[in-house]
Every structure is written in C-alpha cells, then in structure tokens.
Amino acid sequence: MNTRDLVLVALFAAIVIVLGLIPPITLGFIPVPITAQSMGVMLAGCIIGAKRGALAFLLFILLVAIGLPVLSGGRGGLAVFAGPSGGFILGWAVAAFVTGLIAERFVHPANSEGRQFAGFFLASVIGGIVVLYAIGVPWLSAVTGTPLLAAATGSLVFIPGDLLKAAIAALAARAVLAGYPLLPVRA
C-alpha cells in the first residue's frame, strides 16, 4: 500500500458517506431501507479494485462502529449491527472485494467499450447484489425471526433498484477507466 492507495481508500469511504446523505426509502413490509450507499459497494469494487474497495468499506464500517452518523438517515453506532440491516452493512466489505475481484479479472483496457461495461455490470451484479444478499438476507432472517424464504422473497423488491444501481456503477466505472486509465493499476 502506498500513499495513493490510502488516499483512494479514504476517498471512497467519503463517497459512501456522501451517498448516505440521500434520504433512505423505507418500505413498510421489510425493515431494511433502500439506500444509495449500496451503490458505493459496486463503485468501489469496479473503480479501485478488490483490495482497496474492501479496505474503503472496512474504514467506513469502523466509522459506523465508533458511532459516527454516517449511515443513511444519520444512523451509526454498534446497535446498527444488531439490527435487521446489520448483515448488509457488514457484508459491504466482502461484496466490494468480490465486485473488485470480478472486475479485475474481466475488464481490461484492451476490451471494447461494450465488453468493459458488461464486465463492470456483471461484477456489480454478482458482488454487489448476489454476494451482499447472501450475507444480508440470512442476517435479516435471524434478527427479525422471519423464515429465510420469506426474508429472501421480501428482499426481491430491491432487485430492480439494485440492477439500476449496478448499471449506474458500470457506466461510472467505464467512464473512469476511459478518462483515467492509470487508476485501475491494482494495489
């Protein structure tokens, strides 16, 4: 890790905090809100890679744990991890790592623009949706006492918005790759 890597980790932790300023949307039938911060997982993994993306989210999770109100809706503190969305929050670091790992393997500057977008989108869907749900939904089920199948079914309402976030993240990552080709040099 060099100074540039540390700056990118801190920058993406700050970007996730800024995404938290967008008010959450709460649905009445599931206790986990829709937030823009989950798009930060996809952005961090696709733009700064697996290692730096995961470190950005570990830093963010540390800020939450010490009580800073950096989550959407001004939440923070250890109690958040014991709630229904705790699994999703803790899963962000793993999801950013997987997103970055897939993006690093499938997206290269020599690829066509379409292949780059497809690679970033695939990485965002697998890492930022599938992996995140695989961690967050069982946690939601355990904390709320809801059967796992019911929690998974209830979470399906988030998929269209998450696919939109994945597309936005893929477009942003593609733009960064085109505009700043040295950034993807991995740590």
Side-chain angles (χ1 to χ4, degrees):
M1 295 283 293
N2 58 30
T3 304
R4 178 177 152 188
D5 295 330
L6 294 174
V7 168
L8 289 171
V9 166
L11 174 66
F12 269 83
I15 287 171
V16 175
I17 291 169
V18 170
L19 288 171
L21 296 176
I22 299 170
I25 300 169
T26 305
L27 305 174
F29 54 89
I30 193 157
V32 178
I34 298 172
T35 70
Q37 286 180 311
S38 58
M39 185 171 60
V41 170
M42 302 170 195
L43 289 169
C46 286
I47 294 174
I48 62 174
K51 183 178 175 184
R52 294 181 291 199
L55 287 173
F57 272 92
L58 288 174
L59 173 60
F60 178 79
I61 290 167
L62 176 66
L63 295 175
V64 171
I66 63 173
L68 295 179
V70 295
L71 288 170
S72 186
R75 299 173 299 139
L78 291 174
V80 173
F81 299 114
S85 57
F88 291 97
I89 296 166
L90 293 171
W92 281 344
V94 175
F97 183 82
V98 172
T99 301
L101 199 61
I102 294 169
E104 289 169 4
R105 300 292 184 261
F106 290 106
V107 179
H108 304 286
N111 292 353
S112 68
E113 292 178 16
R115 283 185 59 111
Q116 289 173 352
F117 175 81
F120 284 134
F121 184 75
L122 178 69
S124 295
V125 168
I126 293 172
I129 300 174
V130 174
V131 170
L132 188 58
Y133 280 44
I135 297 168
V137 171
W139 185 287
L140 170 67
S141 173
V143 168
T144 61
T146 306
L148 183 60
L149 184 59
T153 304
S155 296
L156 290 177
V157 72
F158 296 105
I159 297 294
D162 286 339
L163 290 172
L164 178 63
K165 292 174 196 176
I168 292 168
L171 286 171
R174 168 65 192 105
V176 169
L177 181 63
Y180 189 41
L182 297 178
L183 185 64
V185 175
R186 305 302 181 204

